[in-house]
Amino acid sequence: MAEGKRQAEWFRTAVLACTVSNPWRGNDALKVENFPYCSEFKPKVRTATRTEAEAFAKAWSGKK
């Protein structure tokens, strides 16, 4: 439990540091992965399936 708490606190600190400093850094923006204890936290990106994308487009276009 202590390890999980430490990781969560580092992650929170890294997100805060990125949020505060990135507007002024330009192309050299910080990433959460740049911080020492946050390297294992990689963003989880999932691509929508064709069916999901079509359903989303249909919902936003207003067609039924």
Side-chain angles (χ1 to χ4, degrees):
M1 285 178 50
E3 180 68 19
K5 184 176 187 305
R6 182 187 61 80
Q7 287 178 350
E9 288 174 349
W10 264 107
F11 186 71
R12 188 178 316 119
T13 303
V15 168
L16 182 60
C18 291
T19 303
V20 170
S21 66
N22 282 347
W24 295 279
R25 291 184 65 94
N27 292 337
D28 189 32
L30 290 174
K31 295 180 182 170
V32 173
E33 295 87 27
N34 295 36
F35 290 87
Y37 294 107
C38 296
S39 59
E40 64 265 10
F41 290 108
K42 301 257 190 268
K44 295 176 184 175
V45 178
R46 184 178 78 82
T47 308
T49 64
R50 180 180 204 91
T51 307
E52 291 172 333
E54 289 172 354
F56 182 77
K58 186 177 178 182
W60 277 93
S61 68
K63 297 178 183 176
K64 291 189 177 187

CSV table of all heavy atoms in Angstrom, one decimal:
chain,number,residue,atom,x,y,z
A,1,MET,N,0.8,-1.2,0.0
A,1,MET,CA,0.0,0.0,0.0
A,1,MET,C,0.9,1.3,0.0
A,1,MET,O,0.5,2.2,-0.6
A,1,MET,CB,-0.9,0.0,1.2
A,1,MET,CG,-2.1,-1.0,1.0
A,1,MET,SD,-3.2,-1.1,2.4
A,1,MET,CE,-3.6,0.5,2.8
A,2,ALA,N,2.0,1.2,0.7
A,2,ALA,CA,2.9,2.4,0.8
A,2,ALA,C,3.5,2.7,-0.6
A,2,ALA,O,3.6,3.8,-1.0
A,2,ALA,CB,4.0,2.1,1.8
A,3,GLU,N,3.8,1.6,-1.3
A,3,GLU,CA,4.4,1.8,-2.7
A,3,GLU,C,3.3,2.4,-3.6
A,3,GLU,O,3.7,3.3,-4.4
A,3,GLU,CB,4.9,0.5,-3.2
A,3,GLU,CG,5.4,0.5,-4.6
A,3,GLU,CD,6.8,1.3,-4.6
A,3,GLU,OE1,7.4,1.4,-3.6
A,3,GLU,OE2,7.1,1.7,-5.7
A,4,GLY,N,2.1,2.0,-3.5
A,4,GLY,CA,1.1,2.5,-4.4
A,4,GLY,C,0.8,4.0,-4.0
A,4,GLY,O,0.6,4.8,-4.9
A,5,LYS,N,0.8,4.3,-2.8
A,5,LYS,CA,0.6,5.7,-2.3
A,5,LYS,C,1.8,6.6,-2.9
A,5,LYS,O,1.6,7.7,-3.4
A,5,LYS,CB,0.6,5.8,-0.8
A,5,LYS,CG,0.3,7.2,-0.3
A,5,LYS,CD,0.1,7.2,1.2
A,5,LYS,CE,-0.3,8.5,1.8
A,5,LYS,NZ,0.5,9.7,1.4
A,6,ARG,N,3.0,6.1,-2.8
A,6,ARG,CA,4.2,6.9,-3.3
A,6,ARG,C,4.0,7.1,-4.8
A,6,ARG,O,4.3,8.2,-5.3
A,6,ARG,CB,5.5,6.1,-3.0
A,6,ARG,CG,6.7,6.9,-3.4
A,6,ARG,CD,8.0,6.0,-3.3
A,6,ARG,NE,7.9,4.8,-4.1
A,6,ARG,CZ,8.2,4.8,-5.4
A,6,ARG,NH1,8.5,5.8,-6.1
A,6,ARG,NH2,8.2,3.6,-6.0
A,7,GLN,N,3.7,6.1,-5.5
A,7,GLN,CA,3.5,6.2,-7.0
A,7,GLN,C,2.4,7.2,-7.3
A,7,GLN,O,2.6,8.0,-8.2
A,7,GLN,CB,3.2,4.9,-7.6
A,7,GLN,CG,4.4,3.9,-7.7
A,7,GLN,CD,4.1,2.6,-8.3
A,7,GLN,OE1,2.9,2.3,-8.5
A,7,GLN,NE2,5.1,1.8,-8.5
A,8,ALA,N,1.3,7.1,-6.6
A,8,ALA,CA,0.2,8.0,-6.9
A,8,ALA,C,0.6,9.5,-6.6
A,8,ALA,O,0.2,10.4,-7.3
A,8,ALA,CB,-1.0,7.7,-6.0
A,9,GLU,N,1.4,9.7,-5.5
A,9,GLU,CA,1.8,11.1,-5.2
A,9,GLU,C,2.8,11.6,-6.2
A,9,GLU,O,2.7,12.8,-6.6
A,9,GLU,CB,2.4,11.1,-3.8
A,9,GLU,CG,1.4,10.9,-2.7
A,9,GLU,CD,1.9,10.8,-1.3
A,9,GLU,OE1,3.2,10.6,-1.2
A,9,GLU,OE2,1.2,10.9,-0.3
A,10,TRP,N,3.7,10.7,-6.7
A,10,TRP,CA,4.6,11.2,-7.7
A,10,TRP,C,3.9,11.5,-9.0
A,10,TRP,O,4.2,12.5,-9.7
A,10,TRP,CB,5.7,10.1,-8.0
A,10,TRP,CG,7.0,10.4,-7.2
A,10,TRP,CD1,7.4,9.7,-6.2
A,10,TRP,CD2,7.9,11.4,-7.5
A,10,TRP,NE1,8.6,10.2,-5.7
A,10,TRP,CE2,8.9,11.3,-6.5
A,10,TRP,CE3,8.0,12.4,-8.5
A,10,TRP,CZ2,10.0,12.1,-6.5
A,10,TRP,CZ3,9.1,13.2,-8.4
A,10,TRP,CH2,10.1,13.1,-7.5
A,11,PHE,N,2.9,10.7,-9.4
A,11,PHE,CA,2.2,10.9,-10.6
A,11,PHE,C,1.4,12.2,-10.5
A,11,PHE,O,1.4,13.0,-11.4
A,11,PHE,CB,1.2,9.7,-10.8
A,11,PHE,CG,0.5,9.8,-12.1
A,11,PHE,CD1,1.1,9.7,-13.3
A,11,PHE,CD2,-0.9,10.2,-12.2
A,11,PHE,CE1,0.5,9.8,-14.5
A,11,PHE,CE2,-1.6,10.3,-13.4
A,11,PHE,CZ,-0.9,10.1,-14.5
A,12,ARG,N,0.8,12.5,-9.4
A,12,ARG,CA,0.1,13.7,-9.2
A,12,ARG,C,1.0,14.9,-9.3
A,12,ARG,O,0.7,15.9,-9.9
A,12,ARG,CB,-0.6,13.7,-7.8
A,12,ARG,CG,-1.6,14.9,-7.6
A,12,ARG,CD,-2.3,14.8,-6.2
A,12,ARG,NE,-2.8,13.5,-5.9
A,12,ARG,CZ,-2.4,12.8,-4.8
A,12,ARG,NH1,-1.5,13.3,-4.0
A,12,ARG,NH2,-2.9,11.6,-4.6
A,13,THR,N,2.2,14.8,-8.7
A,13,THR,CA,3.2,15.9,-8.7
A,13,THR,C,3.7,16.1,-10.1
A,13,THR,O,3.8,17.3,-10.6
A,13,THR,CB,4.4,15.5,-7.8
A,13,THR,OG1,3.9,15.3,-6.5
A,13,THR,CG2,5.4,16.6,-7.8
A,14,ALA,N,3.9,15.0,-10.9
A,14,ALA,CA,4.3,15.2,-12.3
A,14,ALA,C,3.3,15.8,-13.1
A,14,ALA,O,3.6,16.7,-14.0
A,14,ALA,CB,4.7,13.8,-12.8
A,15,VAL,N,2.0,15.5,-13.0
A,15,VAL,CA,1.0,16.1,-13.8
A,15,VAL,C,0.9,17.6,-13.4
A,15,VAL,O,0.7,18.4,-14.3
A,15,VAL,CB,-0.4,15.4,-13.5
A,15,VAL,CG1,-1.6,16.2,-14.1
A,15,VAL,CG2,-0.4,14.0,-14.1
A,16,LEU,N,1.0,17.9,-12.2
A,16,LEU,CA,0.9,19.3,-11.8
A,16,LEU,C,2.1,20.1,-12.4
A,16,LEU,O,1.9,21.2,-12.9
A,16,LEU,CB,0.9,19.4,-10.3
A,16,LEU,CG,0.8,20.8,-9.7
A,16,LEU,CD1,-0.5,21.5,-10.1
A,16,LEU,CD2,0.9,20.8,-8.2
A,17,ALA,N,3.3,19.5,-12.3
A,17,ALA,CA,4.5,20.2,-12.9
A,17,ALA,C,4.3,20.4,-14.4
A,17,ALA,O,4.7,21.5,-14.9
A,17,ALA,CB,5.7,19.4,-12.6
A,18,CYS,N,3.8,19.4,-15.1
A,18,CYS,CA,3.6,19.5,-16.5
A,18,CYS,C,2.6,20.6,-16.8
A,18,CYS,O,2.8,21.4,-17.7
A,18,CYS,CB,3.2,18.2,-17.1
A,18,CYS,SG,4.5,16.9,-17.1
A,19,THR,N,1.5,20.6,-16.1
A,19,THR,CA,0.4,21.6,-16.3
A,19,THR,C,0.9,23.0,-16.1
A,19,THR,O,0.6,23.9,-16.9
A,19,THR,CB,-0.8,21.3,-15.4
A,19,THR,OG1,-1.2,19.9,-15.6
A,19,THR,CG2,-1.9,22.2,-15.6
A,20,VAL,N,1.7,23.2,-15.1
A,20,VAL,CA,2.2,24.5,-14.7
A,20,VAL,C,3.3,25.0,-15.7
A,20,VAL,O,3.3,26.2,-16.1
A,20,VAL,CB,2.7,24.6,-13.3
A,20,VAL,CG1,3.4,25.9,-13.0
A,20,VAL,CG2,1.5,24.4,-12.3
A,21,SER,N,4.2,24.1,-16.1
A,21,SER,CA,5.3,24.6,-16.8
A,21,SER,C,5.2,24.5,-18.4
A,21,SER,O,5.8,25.3,-19.1
A,21,SER,CB,6.6,23.8,-16.4
A,21,SER,OG,6.4,22.5,-16.8
A,22,ASN,N,4.4,23.7,-18.9
A,22,ASN,CA,4.3,23.5,-20.3
A,22,ASN,C,3.8,24.7,-21.1
A,22,ASN,O,4.2,24.8,-22.3
A,22,ASN,CB,3.5,22.2,-20.7
A,22,ASN,CG,4.3,21.0,-20.5
A,22,ASN,OD1,5.5,21.0,-20.3
A,22,ASN,ND2,3.6,19.8,-20.5
A,23,PRO,N,2.9,25.5,-20.7
A,23,PRO,CA,2.5,26.7,-21.5
A,23,PRO,C,3.7,27.6,-21.9
A,23,PRO,O,3.6,28.2,-22.9
A,23,PRO,CB,1.5,27.4,-20.6
A,23,PRO,CG,1.0,26.4,-19.7
A,23,PRO,CD,2.1,25.4,-19.5
A,24,TRP,N,4.8,27.6,-21.2
A,24,TRP,CA,5.9,28.4,-21.5
A,24,TRP,C,7.1,27.7,-22.1
A,24,TRP,O,8.1,28.3,-22.5
A,24,TRP,CB,6.4,29.1,-20.2
A,24,TRP,CG,5.4,30.0,-19.7
A,24,TRP,CD1,5.1,31.3,-20.1
A,24,TRP,CD2,4.4,29.7,-18.6
A,24,TRP,NE1,4.0,31.8,-19.4
A,24,TRP,CE2,3.6,30.9,-18.5
A,24,TRP,CE3,4.2,28.6,-17.8
A,24,TRP,CZ2,2.6,30.9,-17.6
A,24,TRP,CZ3,3.2,28.7,-16.9
A,24,TRP,CH2,2.4,29.8,-16.8
A,25,ARG,N,7.0,26.4,-22.3
A,25,ARG,CA,8.1,25.6,-22.8
A,25,ARG,C,8.2,25.4,-24.3
A,25,ARG,O,9.2,25.1,-24.8
A,25,ARG,CB,8.2,24.2,-22.1
A,25,ARG,CG,8.5,24.4,-20.6
A,25,ARG,CD,8.6,23.0,-19.9
A,25,ARG,NE,9.7,22.3,-20.4
A,25,ARG,CZ,10.9,22.2,-19.9
A,25,ARG,NH1,11.2,23.0,-18.9
A,25,ARG,NH2,11.9,21.5,-20.4
A,26,GLY,N,7.0,25.6,-25.0
A,26,GLY,CA,7.0,25.5,-26.4
A,26,GLY,C,7.2,24.0,-26.8
A,26,GLY,O,6.5,23.1,-26.4
A,27,ASN,N,8.2,23.8,-27.8
A,27,ASN,CA,8.4,22.5,-28.3
A,27,ASN,C,9.1,21.5,-27.3
A,27,ASN,O,9.1,20.3,-27.5
A,27,ASN,CB,9.2,22.5,-29.6
A,27,ASN,CG,8.4,23.2,-30.7
A,27,ASN,OD1,7.2,23.2,-30.7
A,27,ASN,ND2,9.1,23.8,-31.7
A,28,ASP,N,9.6,22.1,-26.3
A,28,ASP,CA,10.4,21.3,-25.3
A,28,ASP,C,9.5,21.0,-24.1
A,28,ASP,O,9.9,21.1,-22.9
A,28,ASP,CB,11.6,22.0,-24.9
A,28,ASP,CG,12.6,21.2,-24.0
A,28,ASP,OD1,12.6,20.0,-24.2
A,28,ASP,OD2,13.2,21.8,-23.2
A,29,ALA,N,8.3,20.6,-24.3
A,29,ALA,CA,7.3,20.3,-23.3
A,29,ALA,C,7.7,19.1,-22.4
A,29,ALA,O,8.2,18.1,-22.9
A,29,ALA,CB,5.9,20.2,-23.8
A,30,LEU,N,7.4,19.2,-21.1
A,30,LEU,CA,7.6,18.1,-20.2
A,30,LEU,C,6.5,17.0,-20.4
A,30,LEU,O,5.4,17.4,-20.8
A,30,LEU,CB,7.5,18.6,-18.8
A,30,LEU,CG,8.7,19.4,-18.3
A,30,LEU,CD1,8.4,19.9,-16.9
A,30,LEU,CD2,10.0,18.6,-18.3
A,31,LYS,N,6.9,15.8,-20.2
A,31,LYS,CA,5.9,14.7,-20.2
A,31,LYS,C,5.9,14.0,-18.8
A,31,LYS,O,7.0,14.1,-18.1
A,31,LYS,CB,6.2,13.7,-21.3
A,31,LYS,CG,6.1,14.3,-22.7
A,31,LYS,CD,6.4,13.3,-23.7
A,31,LYS,CE,6.3,13.9,-25.1
A,31,LYS,NZ,6.9,13.0,-26.1
A,32,VAL,N,4.9,13.4,-18.4
A,32,VAL,CA,4.8,12.7,-17.2
A,32,VAL,C,5.9,11.6,-17.1
A,32,VAL,O,6.5,11.4,-16.1
A,32,VAL,CB,3.4,12.1,-16.9
A,32,VAL,CG1,3.4,11.2,-15.7
A,32,VAL,CG2,2.4,13.2,-16.8
A,33,GLU,N,6.2,11.0,-18.2
A,33,GLU,CA,7.2,9.9,-18.3
A,33,GLU,C,8.6,10.5,-18.0
A,33,GLU,O,9.5,9.7,-17.7
A,33,GLU,CB,7.2,9.2,-19.6
A,33,GLU,CG,6.0,8.5,-20.0
A,33,GLU,CD,4.9,9.4,-20.6
A,33,GLU,OE1,5.3,10.4,-21.3
A,33,GLU,OE2,3.7,9.1,-20.4
A,34,ASN,N,8.9,11.8,-18.1
A,34,ASN,CA,10.2,12.3,-17.8
A,34,ASN,C,10.5,12.3,-16.3
A,34,ASN,O,11.7,12.5,-16.0
A,34,ASN,CB,10.3,13.8,-18.3
A,34,ASN,CG,10.1,13.9,-19.8
A,34,ASN,OD1,9.4,13.1,-20.4
A,34,ASN,ND2,10.8,14.8,-20.4
A,35,PHE,N,9.6,12.2,-15.4
A,35,PHE,CA,9.8,12.2,-14.0
A,35,PHE,C,10.3,10.8,-13.5
A,35,PHE,O,9.8,9.8,-14.0
A,35,PHE,CB,8.6,12.7,-13.3
A,35,PHE,CG,8.3,14.1,-13.5
A,35,PHE,CD1,7.6,14.5,-14.6
A,35,PHE,CD2,8.9,15.1,-12.7
A,35,PHE,CE1,7.4,15.9,-14.9
A,35,PHE,CE2,8.6,16.4,-12.9
A,35,PHE,CZ,7.9,16.8,-14.0
A,36,PRO,N,11.1,10.8,-12.5
A,36,PRO,CA,11.8,9.5,-12.2
A,36,PRO,C,10.9,8.3,-11.8
A,36,PRO,O,11.1,7.2,-12.3
A,36,PRO,CB,12.7,9.9,-11.0
A,36,PRO,CG,12.2,11.2,-10.5
A,36,PRO,CD,11.5,11.9,-11.7
A,37,TYR,N,9.9,8.6,-11.0
A,37,TYR,CA,9.0,7.5,-10.6
A,37,TYR,C,7.8,7.3,-11.5
A,37,TYR,O,7.0,6.4,-11.2
A,37,TYR,CB,8.6,7.7,-9.1
A,37,TYR,CG,9.8,7.6,-8.2
A,37,TYR,CD1,10.3,8.7,-7.6
A,37,TYR,CD2,10.4,6.4,-7.9
A,37,TYR,CE1,11.4,8.7,-6.8
A,37,TYR,CE2,11.5,6.3,-7.1
A,37,TYR,CZ,12.0,7.4,-6.5
A,37,TYR,OH,13.0,7.4,-5.7
A,38,CYS,N,7.7,8.1,-12.5
A,38,CYS,CA,6.5,8.0,-13.4
A,38,CYS,C,6.7,7.3,-14.7
A,38,CYS,O,5.9,7.3,-15.6
A,38,CYS,CB,5.9,9.4,-13.6
A,38,CYS,SG,5.3,10.1,-12.1
A,39,SER,N,7.9,6.8,-14.9
A,39,SER,CA,8.3,6.2,-16.2
A,39,SER,C,7.4,4.9,-16.5
A,39,SER,O,7.2,4.6,-17.6
A,39,SER,CB,9.7,5.8,-16.2
A,39,SER,OG,10.0,4.8,-15.2
A,40,GLU,N,6.9,4.3,-15.4
A,40,GLU,CA,6.0,3.1,-15.7
A,40,GLU,C,4.6,3.5,-16.0
A,40,GLU,O,3.8,2.7,-16.5
A,40,GLU,CB,6.0,2.2,-14.5
A,40,GLU,CG,5.4,2.7,-13.2
A,40,GLU,CD,6.5,3.3,-12.2
A,40,GLU,OE1,7.6,3.5,-12.6
A,40,GLU,OE2,6.1,3.6,-11.1
A,41,PHE,N,4.2,4.8,-15.8
A,41,PHE,CA,2.9,5.3,-16.2
A,41,PHE,C,2.9,5.7,-17.6
A,41,PHE,O,3.4,6.8,-17.9
A,41,PHE,CB,2.5,6.4,-15.3
A,41,PHE,CG,2.2,6.0,-13.9
A,41,PHE,CD1,3.1,6.4,-12.9
A,41,PHE,CD2,1.1,5.3,-13.5
A,41,PHE,CE1,2.8,6.0,-11.6
A,41,PHE,CE2,0.8,4.9,-12.2
A,41,PHE,CZ,1.7,5.3,-11.2
A,42,LYS,N,2.4,4.9,-18.5
A,42,LYS,CA,2.3,5.3,-19.9
A,42,LYS,C,0.8,5.5,-20.2
A,42,LYS,O,0.0,4.8,-19.7
A,42,LYS,CB,2.8,4.1,-20.8
A,42,LYS,CG,4.3,3.8,-20.5
A,42,LYS,CD,5.2,4.3,-21.5
A,42,LYS,CE,6.6,3.8,-21.4
A,42,LYS,NZ,7.5,4.4,-20.7
A,43,PRO,N,0.6,6.5,-21.0
A,43,PRO,CA,-0.9,6.8,-21.3
A,43,PRO,C,-1.4,5.6,-22.1
A,43,PRO,O,-0.8,5.0,-22.9
A,43,PRO,CB,-0.8,8.0,-22.2
A,43,PRO,CG,0.6,8.4,-22.4
A,43,PRO,CD,1.4,7.5,-21.6
A,44,LYS,N,-2.6,5.2,-21.7
A,44,LYS,CA,-3.3,4.1,-22.4
A,44,LYS,C,-4.2,4.7,-23.4
A,44,LYS,O,-5.2,5.3,-23.1
A,44,LYS,CB,-4.1,3.3,-21.3
A,44,LYS,CG,-3.2,2.6,-20.3
A,44,LYS,CD,-4.0,1.9,-19.3
A,44,LYS,CE,-3.1,1.4,-18.2
A,44,LYS,NZ,-3.8,0.8,-17.1
A,45,VAL,N,-3.9,4.4,-24.7
A,45,VAL,CA,-4.6,4.9,-25.8
A,45,VAL,C,-5.3,3.8,-26.5
A,45,VAL,O,-4.6,2.8,-26.8
A,45,VAL,CB,-3.7,5.7,-26.8
A,45,VAL,CG1,-4.5,6.2,-28.0
A,45,VAL,CG2,-3.0,6.8,-26.1
A,46,ARG,N,-6.6,3.9,-26.7
A,46,ARG,CA,-7.3,2.8,-27.4
A,46,ARG,C,-7.9,3.4,-28.7
A,46,ARG,O,-8.5,4.5,-28.6
A,46,ARG,CB,-8.4,2.2,-26.5
A,46,ARG,CG,-9.1,1.1,-27.1
A,46,ARG,CD,-10.1,0.5,-26.2
A,46,ARG,NE,-11.3,1.3,-26.1
A,46,ARG,CZ,-12.3,1.2,-27.0
A,46,ARG,NH1,-12.3,0.4,-28.0
A,46,ARG,NH2,-13.4,1.9,-26.8
A,47,THR,N,-7.8,2.8,-29.8
A,47,THR,CA,-8.4,3.2,-31.0
A,47,THR,C,-9.8,2.6,-31.1
A,47,THR,O,-10.0,1.5,-30.8
A,47,THR,CB,-7.6,2.7,-32.2
A,47,THR,OG1,-6.2,3.1,-32.0
A,47,THR,CG2,-8.1,3.4,-33.5
A,48,ALA,N,-10.7,3.5,-31.5
A,48,ALA,CA,-12.1,3.1,-31.6
A,48,ALA,C,-12.3,2.1,-32.8
A,48,ALA,O,-11.6,2.2,-33.9
A,48,ALA,CB,-13.0,4.3,-31.9
A,49,THR,N,-13.1,1.2,-32.7
A,49,THR,CA,-13.4,0.2,-33.8
A,49,THR,C,-14.3,1.0,-34.8
A,49,THR,O,-14.8,2.1,-34.6
A,49,THR,CB,-14.2,-1.0,-33.3
A,49,THR,OG1,-15.4,-0.6,-32.8
A,49,THR,CG2,-13.4,-1.8,-32.2
A,50,ARG,N,-14.4,0.4,-36.0
A,50,ARG,CA,-15.1,1.0,-37.1
A,50,ARG,C,-16.6,1.2,-36.6
A,50,ARG,O,-17.2,2.3,-36.9
A,50,ARG,CB,-15.1,0.2,-38.3
A,50,ARG,CG,-15.8,0.7,-39.5
A,50,ARG,CD,-15.7,-0.2,-40.7
A,50,ARG,NE,-15.9,0.6,-41.9
A,50,ARG,CZ,-15.0,1.2,-42.6
A,50,ARG,NH1,-13.8,1.2,-42.2
A,50,ARG,NH2,-15.3,1.9,-43.7
A,51,THR,N,-17.1,0.2,-36.0
A,51,THR,CA,-18.5,0.3,-35.5
A,51,THR,C,-18.7,1.4,-34.5
A,51,THR,O,-19.7,2.2,-34.6
A,51,THR,CB,-19.0,-1.0,-34.9
A,51,THR,OG1,-18.7,-2.1,-35.8
A,51,THR,CG2,-20.4,-1.1,-34.5
A,52,GLU,N,-17.8,1.6,-33.6
A,52,GLU,CA,-17.8,2.6,-32.6
A,52,GLU,C,-17.7,4.0,-33.2
A,52,GLU,O,-18.4,4.9,-32.9
A,52,GLU,CB,-16.7,2.5,-31.5
A,52,GLU,CG,-16.9,1.3,-30.6
A,52,GLU,CD,-15.7,1.0,-29.8
A,52,GLU,OE1,-14.6,1.4,-30.1
A,52,GLU,OE2,-15.9,0.5,-28.7
A,53,ALA,N,-16.8,4.1,-34.2
A,53,ALA,CA,-16.6,5.4,-34.9
A,53,ALA,C,-17.9,5.8,-35.7
A,53,ALA,O,-18.3,6.9,-35.7
A,53,ALA,CB,-15.4,5.3,-35.8
A,54,GLU,N,-18.5,4.8,-36.3
A,54,GLU,CA,-19.7,5.1,-37.1
A,54,GLU,C,-20.9,5.5,-36.2
A,54,GLU,O,-21.6,6.4,-36.5
A,54,GLU,CB,-20.1,3.9,-38.0
A,54,GLU,CG,-19.2,3.7,-39.1
A,54,GLU,CD,-19.4,2.3,-39.8
A,54,GLU,OE1,-20.2,1.5,-39.4
A,54,GLU,OE2,-18.7,2.1,-40.9
A,55,ALA,N,-21.0,4.8,-35.0
A,55,ALA,CA,-22.0,5.1,-34.1
A,55,ALA,C,-21.8,6.5,-33.5
A,55,ALA,O,-22.8,7.3,-33.3
A,55,ALA,CB,-22.1,4.1,-33.0
A,56,PHE,N,-20.6,6.9,-33.2
A,56,PHE,CA,-20.3,8.2,-32.7
A,56,PHE,C,-20.6,9.3,-33.8
A,56,PHE,O,-21.3,10.3,-33.5
A,56,PHE,CB,-18.8,8.3,-32.4
A,56,PHE,CG,-18.4,9.6,-31.8
A,56,PHE,CD1,-18.7,9.9,-30.5
A,56,PHE,CD2,-17.7,10.5,-32.5
A,56,PHE,CE1,-18.3,11.1,-29.9
A,56,PHE,CE2,-17.3,11.8,-32.0
A,56,PHE,CZ,-17.6,12.1,-30.7
A,57,ALA,N,-20.2,9.1,-35.0
A,57,ALA,CA,-20.5,10.0,-36.1
A,57,ALA,C,-22.0,10.2,-36.3
A,57,ALA,O,-22.5,11.3,-36.5
A,57,ALA,CB,-19.8,9.6,-37.4
A,58,LYS,N,-22.7,9.0,-36.2
A,58,LYS,CA,-24.2,9.1,-36.4
A,58,LYS,C,-24.8,9.8,-35.3
A,58,LYS,O,-25.8,10.6,-35.5
A,58,LYS,CB,-24.7,7.6,-36.5
A,58,LYS,CG,-26.1,7.5,-36.8
A,58,LYS,CD,-26.5,6.1,-36.9
A,58,LYS,CE,-28.0,5.9,-37.2
A,58,LYS,NZ,-28.4,4.5,-37.3
A,59,ALA,N,-24.4,9.6,-34.1
A,59,ALA,CA,-25.0,10.3,-32.9
A,59,ALA,C,-24.7,11.8,-33.0
A,59,ALA,O,-25.6,12.6,-32.6
A,59,ALA,CB,-24.4,9.7,-31.6
A,60,TRP,N,-23.6,12.2,-33.5
A,60,TRP,CA,-23.3,13.7,-33.5
A,60,TRP,C,-23.9,14.4,-34.7
A,60,TRP,O,-24.0,15.6,-34.7
A,60,TRP,CB,-21.8,13.9,-33.5
A,60,TRP,CG,-21.3,13.9,-32.1
A,60,TRP,CD1,-20.8,12.8,-31.4
A,60,TRP,CD2,-21.3,15.0,-31.1
A,60,TRP,NE1,-20.5,13.2,-30.1
A,60,TRP,CE2,-20.8,14.5,-29.9
A,60,TRP,CE3,-21.7,16.3,-31.2
A,60,TRP,CZ2,-20.7,15.3,-28.8
A,60,TRP,CZ3,-21.6,17.1,-30.1
A,60,TRP,CH2,-21.1,16.6,-28.9
A,61,SER,N,-24.2,13.6,-35.7
A,61,SER,CA,-24.8,14.2,-36.9
A,61,SER,C,-26.3,14.5,-36.8
A,61,SER,O,-26.9,15.2,-37.5
A,61,SER,CB,-24.6,13.3,-38.2
A,61,SER,OG,-25.3,12.1,-38.1
A,62,GLY,N,-26.9,13.8,-35.8
A,62,GLY,CA,-28.3,14.0,-35.5
A,62,GLY,C,-29.2,13.1,-36.3
A,62,GLY,O,-30.4,13.1,-36.2
A,63,LYS,N,-28.6,12.2,-37.1
A,63,LYS,CA,-29.4,11.2,-37.9
A,63,LYS,C,-29.7,10.0,-37.0
A,63,LYS,O,-29.0,9.6,-36.1
A,63,LYS,CB,-28.6,10.7,-39.1
A,63,LYS,CG,-28.3,11.8,-40.1
A,63,LYS,CD,-27.5,11.3,-41.2
A,63,LYS,CE,-27.1,12.4,-42.2
A,63,LYS,NZ,-26.3,11.9,-43.2
A,64,LYS,N,-30.9,9.4,-37.2
A,64,LYS,CA,-31.3,8.3,-36.4
A,64,LYS,C,-31.4,7.0,-37.2
A,64,LYS,O,-31.3,6.8,-38.3
A,64,LYS,CB,-32.6,8.5,-35.8
A,64,LYS,CG,-32.5,9.6,-34.7
A,64,LYS,CD,-33.8,9.6,-33.9
A,64,LYS,CE,-33.6,10.6,-32.8
A,64,LYS,NZ,-34.7,10.7,-31.9
